[in-house]
Every structure is written in structure tokens, then in C-alpha cells.
């Protein structure tokens, strides 16, 4: 299934795509696409619905973040060897873990407004994992049983804040709009191998990143198992799994107002984000 949320920011409604690609409103069935809707039982109930009886979602409506109520937005750094190389950093021996403030989460086509004082805002197309069950002390062999599905993400980052301002990654990665998710939350039955997905990102029509997730150093089962050794992963938590080479940091071509960022990963969908002018500093 491809689940999504639509409507004005803060007032999104749950929906899914039917076999013809038509959005169907799920408001009469679930309150939202959140942790409660992601259990195996809840997903089985949704998959058994007669979608023809549900209202259509109007074409052209805003698509919001594909998951609501995210408690923990976890990032994995330097998880592609080619990206570590372009950053001039060694390949990590263990997953490099950081957090993004959940308040950075945005819709897949929402404008990216550069935050006041930002200097070097960069893009990072990534595969994101959405947890469907709580996970604690999980083995890699069983890790995917705890996953509800996957979505497309972009780990926007101000490199100056990340690297030169106190060296704190969370600060550089958590401004409003720095975590677009979606458009679709694609359930795991439609993604048989998360280590075989093609990620691509263009800026103003020029391909900057293009790589398969088989290039990840630590694959999804390893990441879920590793994180669950140290803290309890909750249903609805999101893990962004790292970006391949081609980020702006490598060429010093950072984002500016008017840039158009187009990210795609089939079957996860596409994001088209326009960079807006910097907010005035208060």
C-alpha cells in the first residue's frame, strides 16, 4: 500500500492510493497515519478495505508528511562509502547516529525557506525507514518484522552550523523544513529489498546524486538492530539511512533562493521542493 496525508499544514487527513493511483480518504477508518495505524493488524485492515466506497482525494491538493506524530527522527551519517570519501572522512566502524528535531518534518513539495543566519544549506536524498512496532534488543535477522514501511526523505543540512558552529549535527539539521518525508509511506510488502532502491536528486535539472541503496555500509536490518541495542525504538519513529555522494558540500555549491530540488526513488515517489528566500532575522 501507498499511504499518505493531505491538506493544510497541521490539519492533514489520512489517505491511500488505490490500484488506479487515485487517492482515497481514510478519515472514516483511521484518525491519522501514525503509530496506531502502522501495526500489522491495522495495516491488514486497511489492505482489506473496499476502496471504491471511500471518497476521492481532490487532485492538486497539498500532500503533507506521510507520517504523523513522529517521536524520534534518527539520522545515520556517512553510511555510503563514496559520501564518506567526498567528505574526507573514514568509513565508520559503527553507524554514526544523530537526531533531527521532529519539528523539521515537512511535506514532500513544501517550499524550503532558508533559516535566518544560515550560510551553507545542503541537500541529502535518503531512504527513510518507518517503524511499525516497538523494538528493543532486536536481532538483525528479525529486524524487518518491526518495520512498517519506507519513504523518501531529504536530510537538509546547514554545513556551517553542522561542522564549524560547535560541531553539533542536530543544530545543523533541524530547522523547519529540513526533514521532508514522502509523498508515500510504502508498506514493506511493496519493497521486498530496501537494499536495492535507486536514489536520485537533481538541482535545477542537473543530476547531483544517483546511487543504489546497495551501496549503504550498514543496511536497514543492521541499523534497526544496532539502534535497538541502545534505546527503545517506538512505532512511528523514523530512521533516515544516509546519503550517497554528490552533496553540495563536495563542490561548495550550496542551495540558494529559487533553486528547484527534485528527488525521486521508485516506488517511494518524488519530491519537488523550491528554495524560498531567507526569513528576515528577528
Amino acid at each position: 500500500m501507498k499511504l499518505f496525508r493531505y491538506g493544510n499544514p497541521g490539519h492533514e487527513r489520512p489517505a491511500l492510493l488505490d490500484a488506479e493511483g487515485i487517492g482515497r480518504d481514510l478519515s472514516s477508518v483511521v484518525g491519522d497515519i501514525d503509530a496506531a495505524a502502522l501495526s500489522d493488524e491495522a495495516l491488514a485492515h486497511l489492505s482489506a478495505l473496499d476502496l471504491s466506497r471511500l471518497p476521492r482525494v481532490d487532485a492538486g491538493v497539498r500532500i503533507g508528511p506521510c507520517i504523523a506524530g513522529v517521536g524520534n527522527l534518527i539520522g545515520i551519517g556517512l553510511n555510503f562509502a563514496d559520501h564518506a570519501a567526498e567528505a574526507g572522512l573514514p568509513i565508520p566502524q559503527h553507524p554514526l547516529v544523530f537526531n533531527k528535531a521532529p519539528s523539521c518534518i515537512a511535506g514532500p513539495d513544501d517550499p524550503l525557506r532558508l533559516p535566518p543566519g544560515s550560510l551553507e544549506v545542503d541537500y541529502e536524498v535518503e531512504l527513510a525507514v518507518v517503524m511499525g512496532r516497538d523494538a528493543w534488543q532486536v536481532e538483525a535477522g528479525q529486524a524487518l518484522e518491526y518495520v512498517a514501511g519506507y519513504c523518501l526523505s531529504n536530510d537538509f543540512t546547514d554545513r556551517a552550523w553542522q561542522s564549524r558552529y560547535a560541531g553539533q549535527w542536530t543544530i545543523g539539521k533541524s530547522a523547519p523544513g529540513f526533514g521532508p518525508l514522502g509523498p508515500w509511506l510504502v508498506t514493506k510488502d511493496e519493497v521486498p529489498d530496501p537494499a536495492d532502491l535507486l536514489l536520485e536528486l537533481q538541482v535545477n535539472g542537473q543530476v547531483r546524486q544517483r546511487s543504489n541503496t546497495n551501496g549503504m555500509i550498514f543496511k536497514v536490518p543492521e541499523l534497526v538492530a544496532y539502534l535497538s541495542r541502545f534505546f527503545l525504538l517506538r512505532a512511528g519513529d523514523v530512521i533516515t539511512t544516509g546519503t550517497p555522494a554528490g552533496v553540495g558540500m563536495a563542490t561548495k555549491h550550496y542551495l540558494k533562493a529559487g533553486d528547484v530540488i527534485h528527488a525521486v526513488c521508485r516506488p517511494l515517489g518524488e519530491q519537488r521542493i523550491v528554495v524560498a528566500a531567507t526569513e528576515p532575522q528577528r
Side-chain angles (χ1 to χ4, degrees), residues 76 79-80 82-83 86 100 122-128 151-157 159 173 178 180-182 197-203 207-213 216 239-248 255 261-266 268-273:
I76 305 297
N79 198 26
F80 283 75
D82 56 2
H83 176 50
E86 73 177 355
K100 290 171 73 85
D122 204 351
Y123 52 83
E124 296 187 21
V125 65
E126 306 195 9
L127 167 69
C151 65
L152 186 60
S153 70
N154 203 319
D155 177 20
F156 288 120
T157 306
R159 300 298 186 186
K173 293 173 171 283
F178 272 26
L181 297 177
L197 297 172
L198 182 63
L199 299 169
E200 182 176 300
L201 182 139
Q202 300 178 14
V203 179
V207 176
R208 298 284 184 86
Q209 295 182 278
R210 182 178 172 84
S211 185
N212 194 287
T213 53
M216 292 196 301
I239 306 164
T240 63
T241 59
T243 198
V247 299
L255 296 172
I261 305 139
H262 180 220
V264 61
C265 178
R266 293 181 175 84
L268 306 182
E270 304 182 25
Q271 298 182 353
R272 186 182 182 278
I273 296 171

Short mmCIF file of all heavy atoms in Angstrom, two decimals, residues 76 79-80 82-83 86 100 122-128 151-157 159 173 178 180-182 197-203 207-213 216 239-248 255 261-266 268-273:
data_model
loop_
_atom_site.label_atom_id
_atom_site.label_comp_id
_atom_site.label_asym_id
_atom_site.label_seq_id
_atom_site.Cartn_x
_atom_site.Cartn_y
_atom_site.Cartn_z
N ILE A 76 21.41 8.70 10.16
CA ILE A 76 22.63 7.91 10.11
C ILE A 76 23.60 8.64 9.18
O ILE A 76 23.28 8.90 8.01
CB ILE A 76 22.38 6.49 9.58
CG1 ILE A 76 21.30 5.78 10.42
CG2 ILE A 76 23.68 5.70 9.57
CD1 ILE A 76 21.67 5.57 11.88
N ASN A 79 26.89 6.86 5.69
CA ASN A 79 26.53 5.45 5.50
C ASN A 79 26.74 4.97 4.07
O ASN A 79 26.35 3.85 3.75
CB ASN A 79 25.09 5.20 5.95
CG ASN A 79 24.80 3.74 6.20
OD1 ASN A 79 25.71 2.96 6.51
ND2 ASN A 79 23.54 3.35 6.06
N PHE A 80 27.30 5.79 3.21
CA PHE A 80 27.75 5.38 1.88
C PHE A 80 29.24 5.66 1.81
O PHE A 80 29.69 6.76 2.13
CB PHE A 80 27.03 6.16 0.78
CG PHE A 80 25.62 5.71 0.51
CD1 PHE A 80 24.58 6.02 1.37
CD2 PHE A 80 25.32 4.97 -0.64
CE1 PHE A 80 23.28 5.63 1.11
CE2 PHE A 80 24.03 4.57 -0.91
CZ PHE A 80 22.99 4.89 -0.04
N ASP A 82 31.13 6.21 -0.70
CA ASP A 82 31.51 7.29 -1.61
C ASP A 82 31.26 8.66 -0.98
O ASP A 82 31.99 9.62 -1.22
CB ASP A 82 30.81 7.16 -2.96
CG ASP A 82 29.29 7.10 -2.87
OD1 ASP A 82 28.72 7.20 -1.77
OD2 ASP A 82 28.65 6.94 -3.95
N HIS A 83 30.23 8.76 -0.14
CA HIS A 83 29.98 10.03 0.55
C HIS A 83 31.03 10.29 1.62
O HIS A 83 31.49 11.42 1.79
CB HIS A 83 28.58 10.02 1.17
CG HIS A 83 28.26 11.24 1.97
ND1 HIS A 83 28.45 12.53 1.49
CD2 HIS A 83 27.78 11.39 3.24
CE1 HIS A 83 28.09 13.39 2.42
NE2 HIS A 83 27.69 12.73 3.49
N GLU A 86 34.06 11.61 -0.22
CA GLU A 86 33.99 13.00 -0.67
C GLU A 86 34.05 13.98 0.50
O GLU A 86 34.45 15.14 0.33
CB GLU A 86 32.74 13.24 -1.52
CG GLU A 86 31.44 13.27 -0.75
CD GLU A 86 30.22 13.58 -1.62
OE1 GLU A 86 30.39 13.87 -2.83
OE2 GLU A 86 29.09 13.53 -1.08
N LYS A 100 17.47 14.47 14.45
CA LYS A 100 16.90 15.69 13.90
C LYS A 100 15.65 16.00 14.71
O LYS A 100 14.89 15.09 15.06
CB LYS A 100 16.51 15.50 12.43
CG LYS A 100 17.70 15.36 11.49
CD LYS A 100 17.26 14.97 10.09
CE LYS A 100 16.57 16.07 9.32
NZ LYS A 100 17.53 16.97 8.63
N ASP A 122 22.55 22.49 2.45
CA ASP A 122 22.87 21.40 1.55
C ASP A 122 21.70 20.42 1.49
O ASP A 122 20.85 20.39 2.38
CB ASP A 122 24.14 20.69 2.06
CG ASP A 122 24.90 19.95 0.97
OD1 ASP A 122 24.39 19.83 -0.15
OD2 ASP A 122 26.01 19.48 1.28
N TYR A 123 21.69 19.59 0.48
CA TYR A 123 20.68 18.55 0.26
C TYR A 123 21.30 17.18 0.51
O TYR A 123 22.51 16.98 0.37
CB TYR A 123 20.19 18.63 -1.19
CG TYR A 123 21.33 18.62 -2.18
CD1 TYR A 123 21.93 17.43 -2.59
CD2 TYR A 123 21.86 19.81 -2.67
CE1 TYR A 123 23.01 17.43 -3.46
CE2 TYR A 123 22.94 19.82 -3.54
CZ TYR A 123 23.51 18.62 -3.93
OH TYR A 123 24.60 18.62 -4.77
N GLU A 124 20.46 16.19 0.86
CA GLU A 124 20.90 14.81 1.03
C GLU A 124 19.70 13.89 0.81
O GLU A 124 18.91 13.67 1.72
CB GLU A 124 21.47 14.55 2.43
CG GLU A 124 22.74 15.31 2.77
CD GLU A 124 23.33 14.88 4.10
OE1 GLU A 124 23.02 13.76 4.57
OE2 GLU A 124 24.10 15.65 4.69
N VAL A 125 19.56 13.33 -0.37
CA VAL A 125 18.46 12.40 -0.62
C VAL A 125 18.73 11.10 0.13
O VAL A 125 19.87 10.62 0.17
CB VAL A 125 18.28 12.15 -2.13
CG1 VAL A 125 19.46 11.45 -2.75
CG2 VAL A 125 16.99 11.37 -2.38
N GLU A 126 17.68 10.54 0.74
CA GLU A 126 17.86 9.35 1.57
C GLU A 126 16.62 8.47 1.57
O GLU A 126 15.49 8.94 1.37
CB GLU A 126 18.19 9.73 3.02
CG GLU A 126 19.38 10.67 3.14
CD GLU A 126 19.95 10.76 4.56
OE1 GLU A 126 19.52 9.97 5.42
OE2 GLU A 126 20.80 11.63 4.77
N LEU A 127 16.84 7.20 1.84
CA LEU A 127 15.77 6.26 2.16
C LEU A 127 15.47 6.39 3.64
O LEU A 127 16.38 6.38 4.47
CB LEU A 127 16.22 4.84 1.85
CG LEU A 127 15.35 3.70 2.42
CD1 LEU A 127 14.01 3.65 1.71
CD2 LEU A 127 16.08 2.36 2.31
N ALA A 128 14.18 6.50 3.98
CA ALA A 128 13.77 6.54 5.38
C ALA A 128 12.98 5.29 5.73
O ALA A 128 12.19 4.79 4.92
CB ALA A 128 12.95 7.79 5.68
N CYS A 151 9.89 5.46 3.13
CA CYS A 151 9.53 6.67 2.41
C CYS A 151 10.79 7.40 1.96
O CYS A 151 11.90 7.09 2.40
CB CYS A 151 8.64 7.60 3.26
SG CYS A 151 9.43 8.30 4.74
N LEU A 152 10.60 8.36 1.08
CA LEU A 152 11.69 9.19 0.59
C LEU A 152 11.90 10.33 1.57
O LEU A 152 10.95 10.88 2.14
CB LEU A 152 11.31 9.74 -0.79
CG LEU A 152 12.37 10.53 -1.56
CD1 LEU A 152 13.60 9.69 -1.84
CD2 LEU A 152 11.76 11.03 -2.88
N SER A 153 13.17 10.68 1.79
CA SER A 153 13.47 11.79 2.70
C SER A 153 14.59 12.63 2.12
O SER A 153 15.28 12.23 1.18
CB SER A 153 13.86 11.29 4.09
OG SER A 153 15.13 10.66 4.06
N ASN A 154 14.76 13.82 2.69
CA ASN A 154 15.87 14.70 2.31
C ASN A 154 16.40 15.31 3.61
O ASN A 154 15.67 16.01 4.31
CB ASN A 154 15.41 15.78 1.34
CG ASN A 154 16.55 16.33 0.51
OD1 ASN A 154 17.66 16.53 1.02
ND2 ASN A 154 16.31 16.57 -0.76
N ASP A 155 17.64 15.01 3.91
CA ASP A 155 18.26 15.47 5.15
C ASP A 155 18.95 16.81 4.91
O ASP A 155 20.17 16.90 4.82
CB ASP A 155 19.26 14.41 5.64
CG ASP A 155 19.99 14.84 6.91
OD1 ASP A 155 19.49 15.73 7.62
OD2 ASP A 155 21.07 14.28 7.18
N PHE A 156 18.13 17.87 4.78
CA PHE A 156 18.71 19.20 4.57
C PHE A 156 19.58 19.57 5.77
O PHE A 156 19.23 19.29 6.94
CB PHE A 156 17.62 20.24 4.36
CG PHE A 156 16.92 20.13 3.04
CD1 PHE A 156 15.56 19.90 2.96
CD2 PHE A 156 17.63 20.27 1.86
CE1 PHE A 156 14.91 19.80 1.75
CE2 PHE A 156 16.99 20.17 0.62
CZ PHE A 156 15.63 19.94 0.57
N THR A 157 20.71 20.20 5.48
CA THR A 157 21.72 20.47 6.50
C THR A 157 22.41 21.79 6.21
O THR A 157 22.79 22.05 5.06
CB THR A 157 22.80 19.37 6.50
OG1 THR A 157 22.17 18.09 6.64
CG2 THR A 157 23.81 19.57 7.61
N ARG A 159 25.79 23.20 6.54
CA ARG A 159 27.12 22.65 6.81
C ARG A 159 27.92 23.52 7.76
O ARG A 159 28.73 23.00 8.55
CB ARG A 159 27.88 22.46 5.50
CG ARG A 159 27.22 21.52 4.51
CD ARG A 159 27.09 20.11 5.07
NE ARG A 159 26.58 19.19 4.04
CZ ARG A 159 26.25 17.94 4.27
NH1 ARG A 159 26.36 17.42 5.48
NH2 ARG A 159 25.80 17.17 3.29
N LYS A 173 20.82 20.41 11.34
CA LYS A 173 19.91 19.59 10.57
C LYS A 173 18.45 19.70 10.98
O LYS A 173 17.63 18.89 10.54
CB LYS A 173 20.35 18.12 10.67
CG LYS A 173 21.70 17.84 9.99
CD LYS A 173 22.16 16.41 10.27
CE LYS A 173 23.38 16.03 9.44
NZ LYS A 173 23.05 15.73 8.04
N PHE A 178 13.61 21.16 7.19
CA PHE A 178 14.84 20.41 6.90
C PHE A 178 14.63 18.90 6.88
O PHE A 178 15.59 18.16 6.72
CB PHE A 178 15.92 20.75 7.94
CG PHE A 178 16.76 21.95 7.57
CD1 PHE A 178 16.28 22.95 6.74
CD2 PHE A 178 18.04 22.10 8.08
CE1 PHE A 178 17.06 24.05 6.41
CE2 PHE A 178 18.84 23.19 7.75
CZ PHE A 178 18.34 24.17 6.90
N PRO A 180 11.79 16.88 4.94
CA PRO A 180 10.61 16.45 4.18
C PRO A 180 10.53 14.93 4.09
O PRO A 180 11.54 14.26 3.85
CB PRO A 180 10.83 17.09 2.80
CG PRO A 180 12.30 17.29 2.70
CD PRO A 180 12.77 17.59 4.10
N LEU A 181 9.32 14.40 4.27
CA LEU A 181 9.07 12.96 4.22
C LEU A 181 7.92 12.69 3.28
O LEU A 181 6.86 13.30 3.37
CB LEU A 181 8.73 12.41 5.60
CG LEU A 181 9.80 12.50 6.70
CD1 LEU A 181 9.23 11.98 8.02
CD2 LEU A 181 11.06 11.74 6.31
N GLY A 182 8.10 11.72 2.39
CA GLY A 182 7.02 11.34 1.49
C GLY A 182 7.37 11.63 0.04
O GLY A 182 8.52 11.88 -0.28
N LEU A 197 17.28 -0.08 -4.07
CA LEU A 197 16.45 1.05 -4.50
C LEU A 197 17.36 2.13 -5.07
O LEU A 197 18.42 2.43 -4.51
CB LEU A 197 15.66 1.62 -3.31
CG LEU A 197 14.64 0.70 -2.65
CD1 LEU A 197 14.09 1.35 -1.39
CD2 LEU A 197 13.50 0.36 -3.61
N LEU A 198 16.95 2.72 -6.18
CA LEU A 198 17.74 3.76 -6.81
C LEU A 198 17.30 5.13 -6.29
O LEU A 198 16.13 5.51 -6.40
CB LEU A 198 17.57 3.72 -8.33
CG LEU A 198 18.38 4.75 -9.12
CD1 LEU A 198 19.87 4.52 -8.93
CD2 LEU A 198 18.00 4.70 -10.60
N LEU A 199 18.25 5.86 -5.72
CA LEU A 199 18.02 7.22 -5.25
C LEU A 199 18.60 8.19 -6.27
O LEU A 199 19.72 8.01 -6.74
CB LEU A 199 18.71 7.45 -3.90
CG LEU A 199 18.27 6.59 -2.71
CD1 LEU A 199 19.24 6.78 -1.55
CD2 LEU A 199 16.85 6.97 -2.29
N GLU A 200 17.85 9.25 -6.57
CA GLU A 200 18.36 10.28 -7.47
C GLU A 200 17.90 11.65 -6.99
O GLU A 200 16.77 11.81 -6.54
CB GLU A 200 17.91 10.06 -8.91
CG GLU A 200 18.47 11.11 -9.88
CD GLU A 200 18.09 10.86 -11.32
OE1 GLU A 200 18.46 9.78 -11.85
OE2 GLU A 200 17.43 11.74 -11.92
N LEU A 201 18.79 12.63 -7.11
CA LEU A 201 18.45 14.02 -6.76
C LEU A 201 19.02 14.94 -7.82
O LEU A 201 20.18 14.81 -8.22
CB LEU A 201 18.98 14.39 -5.38
CG LEU A 201 18.64 15.81 -4.91
CD1 LEU A 201 18.25 15.84 -3.44
CD2 LEU A 201 19.79 16.78 -5.17
N GLN A 202 18.18 15.87 -8.27
CA GLN A 202 18.59 16.91 -9.21
C GLN A 202 18.40 18.28 -8.57
O GLN A 202 17.48 18.48 -7.77
CB GLN A 202 17.75 16.85 -10.49
CG GLN A 202 17.84 15.55 -11.26
CD GLN A 202 16.95 15.56 -12.48
OE1 GLN A 202 16.46 16.60 -12.92
NE2 GLN A 202 16.74 14.38 -13.06
N VAL A 203 19.27 19.20 -8.93
CA VAL A 203 19.10 20.61 -8.58
C VAL A 203 19.05 21.39 -9.87
O VAL A 203 19.99 21.33 -10.69
CB VAL A 203 20.25 21.13 -7.68
CG1 VAL A 203 20.05 22.62 -7.37
CG2 VAL A 203 20.33 20.33 -6.39
N VAL A 207 21.61 16.44 -12.51
CA VAL A 207 21.74 15.33 -11.57
C VAL A 207 22.94 15.57 -10.66
O VAL A 207 24.06 15.75 -11.13
CB VAL A 207 21.89 13.99 -12.32
CG1 VAL A 207 22.13 12.85 -11.32
CG2 VAL A 207 20.65 13.69 -13.16
N ARG A 208 22.70 15.56 -9.37
CA ARG A 208 23.76 15.73 -8.38
C ARG A 208 24.06 14.42 -7.65
O ARG A 208 25.19 14.14 -7.29
CB ARG A 208 23.37 16.81 -7.35
CG ARG A 208 23.16 18.20 -7.95
CD ARG A 208 24.47 18.88 -8.28
NE ARG A 208 24.27 20.24 -8.78
CZ ARG A 208 24.15 21.32 -7.99
NH1 ARG A 208 24.20 21.18 -6.66
NH2 ARG A 208 23.96 22.51 -8.51
N GLN A 209 23.02 13.63 -7.40
CA GLN A 209 23.18 12.36 -6.69
C GLN A 209 22.42 11.27 -7.45
O GLN A 209 21.28 11.48 -7.87
CB GLN A 209 22.64 12.45 -5.26
CG GLN A 209 23.38 13.42 -4.35
CD GLN A 209 22.80 13.39 -2.95
OE1 GLN A 209 21.78 14.04 -2.68
NE2 GLN A 209 23.43 12.64 -2.05
N ARG A 210 23.05 10.13 -7.60
CA ARG A 210 22.38 8.97 -8.22
C ARG A 210 23.11 7.72 -7.76
O ARG A 210 24.27 7.50 -8.10
CB ARG A 210 22.41 9.07 -9.74
CG ARG A 210 21.69 7.92 -10.45
CD ARG A 210 21.72 8.12 -11.96
NE ARG A 210 21.21 6.97 -12.68
CZ ARG A 210 19.93 6.71 -12.92
NH1 ARG A 210 19.00 7.56 -12.50
NH2 ARG A 210 19.56 5.63 -13.58
N SER A 211 22.44 6.93 -6.93
CA SER A 211 23.10 5.77 -6.35
C SER A 211 22.05 4.78 -5.86
O SER A 211 20.94 5.17 -5.48
CB SER A 211 23.99 6.18 -5.19
OG SER A 211 24.72 5.09 -4.67
N ASN A 212 22.42 3.51 -5.85
CA ASN A 212 21.55 2.46 -5.34
C ASN A 212 21.81 2.27 -3.85
O ASN A 212 22.95 2.42 -3.38
CB ASN A 212 21.82 1.15 -6.09
CG ASN A 212 20.74 0.11 -5.86
OD1 ASN A 212 20.64 -0.47 -4.79
ND2 ASN A 212 19.93 -0.13 -6.87
N THR A 213 20.76 1.92 -3.11
CA THR A 213 20.91 1.71 -1.67
C THR A 213 21.75 0.48 -1.35
O THR A 213 22.12 0.27 -0.18
CB THR A 213 19.55 1.58 -0.98
OG1 THR A 213 18.77 0.56 -1.64
CG2 THR A 213 18.78 2.89 -1.03
N MET A 216 24.90 1.18 0.67
CA MET A 216 24.94 1.52 2.08
C MET A 216 25.91 0.61 2.82
O MET A 216 25.93 -0.61 2.59
CB MET A 216 23.55 1.43 2.72
CG MET A 216 22.58 2.48 2.22
SD MET A 216 21.11 2.68 3.27
CE MET A 216 20.42 1.04 3.23
N ILE A 239 13.78 6.51 10.73
CA ILE A 239 15.24 6.43 10.61
C ILE A 239 15.61 6.82 9.18
O ILE A 239 15.18 6.16 8.23
CB ILE A 239 15.77 5.02 10.90
CG1 ILE A 239 15.29 4.51 12.25
CG2 ILE A 239 17.29 4.98 10.81
CD1 ILE A 239 15.44 3.01 12.43
N THR A 240 16.37 7.89 9.00
CA THR A 240 16.89 8.23 7.69
C THR A 240 18.28 7.59 7.58
O THR A 240 19.12 7.74 8.46
CB THR A 240 16.96 9.75 7.48
OG1 THR A 240 17.86 10.34 8.40
CG2 THR A 240 15.58 10.38 7.66
N THR A 241 18.51 6.87 6.48
CA THR A 241 19.58 5.87 6.47
C THR A 241 20.88 6.31 5.81
O THR A 241 21.77 5.49 5.62
CB THR A 241 19.08 4.60 5.76
OG1 THR A 241 18.67 4.93 4.42
CG2 THR A 241 17.90 3.99 6.51
N GLY A 242 21.03 7.58 5.50
CA GLY A 242 22.28 8.07 4.94
C GLY A 242 22.17 8.40 3.47
O GLY A 242 21.29 7.92 2.75
N THR A 243 23.09 9.24 3.01
CA THR A 243 23.04 9.75 1.64
C THR A 243 24.27 9.33 0.85
O THR A 243 25.36 9.17 1.42
CB THR A 243 22.92 11.29 1.65
OG1 THR A 243 22.45 11.75 0.39
CG2 THR A 243 24.25 11.97 1.96
N PRO A 244 24.13 9.15 -0.46
CA PRO A 244 25.29 8.84 -1.30
C PRO A 244 26.08 10.09 -1.67
O PRO A 244 25.71 11.21 -1.28
CB PRO A 244 24.66 8.19 -2.54
CG PRO A 244 23.31 8.81 -2.63
CD PRO A 244 22.87 9.04 -1.21
N ALA A 245 27.13 9.90 -2.44
CA ALA A 245 27.98 11.01 -2.88
C ALA A 245 27.20 11.98 -3.76
O ALA A 245 26.15 11.65 -4.32
CB ALA A 245 29.19 10.47 -3.63
N GLY A 246 27.75 13.20 -3.86
CA GLY A 246 27.17 14.21 -4.74
C GLY A 246 26.57 15.38 -4.02
O GLY A 246 25.94 16.26 -4.64
N VAL A 247 26.75 15.47 -2.70
CA VAL A 247 26.17 16.57 -1.94
C VAL A 247 26.88 17.89 -2.27
O VAL A 247 28.01 17.90 -2.79
CB VAL A 247 26.21 16.30 -0.42
CG1 VAL A 247 25.42 15.05 -0.09
CG2 VAL A 247 27.65 16.19 0.07
N GLY A 248 26.22 18.99 -1.96
CA GLY A 248 26.79 20.30 -2.27
C GLY A 248 28.09 20.59 -1.55
O GLY A 248 28.93 21.35 -2.05
N LEU A 255 22.62 25.52 -1.62
CA LEU A 255 21.32 25.93 -2.11
C LEU A 255 21.11 27.43 -1.93
O LEU A 255 21.56 28.03 -0.96
CB LEU A 255 20.22 25.14 -1.39
CG LEU A 255 20.25 23.63 -1.64
CD1 LEU A 255 19.24 22.93 -0.72
CD2 LEU A 255 19.96 23.31 -3.10
N ILE A 261 14.73 21.55 -6.20
CA ILE A 261 15.31 20.26 -5.83
C ILE A 261 14.30 19.18 -6.17
O ILE A 261 13.16 19.19 -5.68
CB ILE A 261 15.63 20.22 -4.32
CG1 ILE A 261 16.53 21.39 -3.94
CG2 ILE A 261 16.27 18.90 -3.93
CD1 ILE A 261 16.14 22.01 -2.63
N HIS A 262 14.70 18.25 -7.02
CA HIS A 262 13.83 17.15 -7.43
C HIS A 262 14.48 15.85 -7.01
O HIS A 262 15.55 15.50 -7.50
CB HIS A 262 13.63 17.19 -8.95
CG HIS A 262 12.74 16.11 -9.46
ND1 HIS A 262 12.98 15.42 -10.63
CD2 HIS A 262 11.60 15.56 -8.96
CE1 HIS A 262 12.04 14.52 -10.83
NE2 HIS A 262 11.19 14.59 -9.83
N ALA A 263 13.84 15.15 -6.08
CA ALA A 263 14.34 13.87 -5.59
C ALA A 263 13.35 12.78 -5.98
O ALA A 263 12.13 13.00 -5.96
CB ALA A 263 14.53 13.90 -4.08
N VAL A 264 13.88 11.60 -6.32
CA VAL A 264 13.00 10.51 -6.73
C VAL A 264 13.58 9.17 -6.29
O VAL A 264 14.80 8.98 -6.27
CB VAL A 264 12.78 10.53 -8.26
CG1 VAL A 264 14.10 10.37 -9.00
CG2 VAL A 264 11.79 9.46 -8.70
N CYS A 265 12.69 8.28 -5.90
CA CYS A 265 13.06 6.90 -5.59
C CYS A 265 11.81 6.04 -5.82
O CYS A 265 10.86 6.13 -5.05
CB CYS A 265 13.54 6.75 -4.15
SG CYS A 265 13.95 5.05 -3.69
N ARG A 266 11.83 5.29 -6.89
CA ARG A 266 10.68 4.43 -7.14
C ARG A 266 10.85 3.13 -6.37
O ARG A 266 11.94 2.59 -6.35
CB ARG A 266 10.56 4.18 -8.65
CG ARG A 266 10.20 5.49 -9.39
CD ARG A 266 10.05 5.29 -10.88
NE ARG A 266 9.60 6.52 -11.50
CZ ARG A 266 10.42 7.52 -11.87
NH1 ARG A 266 11.72 7.40 -11.67
NH2 ARG A 266 9.94 8.61 -12.42
N LEU A 268 8.90 4.84 -4.11
CA LEU A 268 8.59 5.72 -2.98
C LEU A 268 8.06 7.08 -3.41
O LEU A 268 7.56 7.83 -2.58
CB LEU A 268 9.82 5.91 -2.10
CG LEU A 268 10.49 4.62 -1.59
CD1 LEU A 268 11.66 4.96 -0.69
CD2 LEU A 268 9.48 3.73 -0.87
N GLY A 269 8.17 7.41 -4.71
CA GLY A 269 7.62 8.66 -5.19
C GLY A 269 8.67 9.73 -5.42
O GLY A 269 9.88 9.47 -5.45
N GLU A 270 8.20 10.97 -5.55
CA GLU A 270 9.06 12.09 -5.90
C GLU A 270 8.80 13.27 -4.97
O GLU A 270 7.69 13.46 -4.48
CB GLU A 270 8.80 12.54 -7.34
CG GLU A 270 8.98 11.44 -8.37
CD GLU A 270 8.77 11.93 -9.79
OE1 GLU A 270 8.96 13.14 -10.04
OE2 GLU A 270 8.41 11.11 -10.66
N GLN A 271 9.84 14.06 -4.77
CA GLN A 271 9.73 15.33 -4.07
C GLN A 271 10.18 16.44 -5.02
O GLN A 271 11.18 16.29 -5.72
CB GLN A 271 10.61 15.36 -2.82
CG GLN A 271 10.24 14.33 -1.76
CD GLN A 271 11.10 14.44 -0.52
OE1 GLN A 271 12.07 15.19 -0.48
NE2 GLN A 271 10.76 13.67 0.51
N ARG A 272 9.45 17.54 -5.02
CA ARG A 272 9.86 18.71 -5.79
C ARG A 272 9.77 19.93 -4.87
O ARG A 272 8.66 20.36 -4.52
CB ARG A 272 8.99 18.92 -7.02
CG ARG A 272 9.47 20.05 -7.93
CD ARG A 272 8.55 20.24 -9.13
NE ARG A 272 9.03 21.27 -10.03
CZ ARG A 272 8.82 22.58 -9.84
NH1 ARG A 272 8.13 23.00 -8.77
NH2 ARG A 272 9.28 23.46 -10.71
N ILE A 273 10.90 20.42 -4.47
CA ILE A 273 10.97 21.47 -3.44
C ILE A 273 11.66 22.70 -4.02
O ILE A 273 12.76 22.61 -4.56
CB ILE A 273 11.73 20.95 -2.21
CG1 ILE A 273 10.95 19.79 -1.57
CG2 ILE A 273 11.97 22.07 -1.20
CD1 ILE A 273 11.70 19.06 -0.48
#
